[in-house]
Amino acid sequence: MRGCPDTNRTGPADAARTTGTAALTAGAAARTTGAPPAAGAVRTARTADTAGRAGAAEPARPGPRRPAEFRYLLGRALPFLVLVAAPLADVLTAPEERFDRFLVAAPALAAVTRGVRGTLVVGALATGTTALLALDRGDRLLPALLAGQTVLAVVTLAAALSSQARRRREVELRRVSEVAEAAQRAVLRPLPRRVGDVGLRLLYEASAAGAHVGGDFYKALKVRGGVRIMLGDVQGKGLAAVEAASLLLGSFREAAYTASGLPAIAERLEASMARYAERAPESTAADRFATVLLAEIPDDEPVVRLLSCGHPAPVVQRGAVVRTVELSSPSVPVHLPVPVDAPFTVDEVPFAPGDRMLMFTDGVSETRDRHGAFYPLERRMRDWAAEPADRIPGLLQEDLARFGARGLDDDTTAVLVVRGGAGEESRPSHEDHLVSA
């Protein structure tokens, strides 16, 4: 690997590891509970504009209920459907057809979605209904009626205890989820809507169910003389990818302010991953590599400087002209386990006021339709050239979901960078909304 001086401190890396490990706990919590998904457990498409405030997602517009909600509502209704259907079938059929025996299922079904009180109420209704049906048929108190009531009482008691245990676990998981969500926000904070003279709009979706942070990562910082931006994608998914992303974010936060140029930042990222692999070889994050795209926008020059470590080249729009940047010599991904001695290469591209640049991860560029065709990003950006910058992330998110054969099934990140000075619009967009997990 490339050699570089040991200029990083260990504090941010250690903190990043701790925070990243907690980041996907919320996803695990959401998958293990039967309760309907909480608002905080949905993946969020965040958008940053030029209003000068921290980015935040807008509430979702009313739409059709999700399948999970229908299943949950059906589960709550099932005990009462049994309480109605079983006695009705018992009354309308021949006496030897004993449909009242199905009433024992009512309290068991209630325990799945209701609390102790609700389960006991359903059990009492089932017991009373059984008694009325038995009296209507002229059954004797002993032994048939008493045996049936005893079975119902035992099932109701067991169901109530099960419901209490489920509720207690849900409360614990909800607390863990809240802590994990706070940790996720600390790992990957929303982009500011404006950094210096640069406007930022963000589309970010983590593929892990219930998680806000995945293997994609981003950061933009105002430094002396300009703005520096990092966008990256860690190999794989899960906790190890989040841990590696957290480490790289911490390293960039330190290096961006003091490094002399983009190559120095890339060297610091490489050194941070190498030192972490030596310090914690047992961590699966130590074996991950990451593609990274670094950008530097100087205040006094109409250009953008780019350095790619195995990352897809961005798309630049100037007026109606849209083209993908041709990088002269991309470097290998950060922490790729092969010896490389080639220097980092920086490409300089014209980037004047009013120009736009879309940086993205492979969740965008490698999305395929059902015929195997890749997503035509350059063509879409050309179609949206006249759209306000605020709308681009929402349009991209919706179009990717429609285009992909399996929707958005990978970590998906895109950062639209807008050079200020051309009167860019910053009206709030209704396209930026929460999307279901």
Side-chain angles (χ1 to χ4, degrees):
M1 302 303 289
R2 300 180 184 84
C4 57
D6 186 6
T7 54
N8 251 4
R9 295 188 300 270
T10 58
D14 294 335
R17 181 188 179 193
T18 304
T19 310
T21 305
L24 288 183
T25 311
R31 290 190 293 270
T32 54
T33 177
V42 296
R43 293 177 294 174
T44 305
R46 302 184 185 94
T47 301
D49 60 19
T50 58
R53 294 168 299 178
E58 295 181 0
R61 290 176 293 175
R65 290 186 182 273
R66 299 189 296 272
E69 290 187 51
F70 279 115
R71 290 194 294 268
Y72 178 73
L73 293 175
L74 179 61
R76 289 184 65 84
L78 272 178
F80 296 98
L81 291 177
V82 172
L83 289 174
V84 173
L88 186 62
D90 194 79
V91 170
L92 296 179
T93 57
E96 59 271 13
E97 302 290 340
R98 298 290 300 275
F99 286 94
D100 61 323
R101 295 189 177 96
F102 287 100
L103 288 169
V104 74
L109 291 172
V112 177
T113 57
R114 297 184 178 276
V116 174
R117 185 177 302 176
T119 302
L120 291 175
V121 168
V122 171
L125 291 173
T127 302
T129 304
T130 302
L132 291 175
L133 291 174
L135 293 175
D136 183 65
R137 286 192 303 267
D139 292 346
R140 294 182 178 181
L141 178 62
L142 294 173
L145 179 57
L146 185 58
Q149 299 293 76
T150 302
V151 170
L152 261 173
V154 171
V155 170
T156 299
L157 180 60
L161 293 174
S162 175
S163 175
Q164 184 181 39
R166 176 184 58 80
R167 284 297 181 92
R168 187 182 300 113
R169 186 184 63 175
E170 287 177 1
V171 170
E172 294 173 356
L173 291 174
R174 190 175 297 113
R175 290 172 181 167
V176 171
S177 177
E178 290 171 355
V179 172
E181 285 184 25
Q184 291 178 92
R185 288 192 294 270
V187 172
L188 201 59
R189 299 181 63 83
L191 280 176
R193 296 175 183 257
R194 192 173 189 82
V195 176
D197 196 34
V198 175
L200 301 170
R201 283 83 165 172
L202 171 69
L203 168 65
Y204 181 86
E205 286 203 28
S207 61
H212 294 297
V213 177
D216 290 358
F217 54 95
Y218 55 84
K219 191 67 181 175
L221 296 171
K222 179 68 176 76
V223 299
R224 181 178 300 177
V227 175
R228 286 175 172 172
I229 305 171
M230 177 178 69
L231 179 67
D233 181 7
V234 177
Q235 168 204 9
K237 301 179 182 179
L239 286 171
V242 175
E243 186 176 349
S246 304
L247 179 67
L248 290 168
L249 282 167
S251 180
F252 177 77
R253 289 187 188 103
E254 281 195 5
Y257 292 107
T258 59
S260 58
L262 297 184
I265 296 176
E267 290 176 355
R268 296 273 283 273
L269 297 177
E270 190 78 54
S272 295
M273 291 296 292
R275 282 199 308 275
Y276 183 70
E278 294 175 359
R279 189 172 66 251
E282 73 286 352
S283 172
T284 54
D287 298 328
R288 303 296 178 103
F289 64 85
T291 64
V292 175
L293 179 63
L294 298 173
E296 181 179 71
I297 305 172
D299 292 335
D300 54 355
E301 297 180 65
V303 299
V304 57
R305 301 184 185 107
L306 300 169
L307 189 158
S308 172
C309 296
H311 200 84
V315 173
V316 173
Q317 174 195 337
R318 169 169 289 185
V321 178
V322 178
R323 66 182 182 89
T324 301
V325 176
E326 295 184 5
L327 299 174
S328 57
S329 181
S331 302
V332 298
V334 174
H335 200 52
L336 191 70
V338 294
V340 177
D341 296 325
F344 292 106
T345 302
V346 177
D347 291 276
E348 194 170 273
V349 179
F351 196 56
D355 291 352
R356 301 175 180 177
M357 177 177 66
L358 187 73
M359 306 168 66
F360 53 89
T361 61
D362 59 8
V364 176
S365 58
E366 294 186 5
T367 295
R368 297 177 184 241
D369 63 12
R370 63 179 182 275
H371 303 297
F374 286 104
Y375 182 73
L377 178 60
E378 191 173 312
R379 187 195 314 161
R380 291 293 195 271
M381 292 299 294
R382 192 175 295 113
D383 294 340
W384 300 332
E387 292 285 348
D390 297 331
R391 297 196 65 215
I392 299 301
L395 291 171
L396 180 60
Q397 182 251 328
E398 293 181 355
D399 196 52
L400 283 168
R402 285 193 301 266
F403 183 89
R406 294 178 293 179
L408 296 176
D409 61 344
D410 193 8
D411 293 338
T412 302
T413 305
V415 178
L416 184 67
V417 183
V418 184
R419 190 73 183 256
E424 281 288 341
E425 299 181 47
S426 61
R427 295 172 301 187
S429 168
H430 291 295
E431 304 293 338
D432 314 326
H433 56 272
L434 300 179
V435 290
S436 59

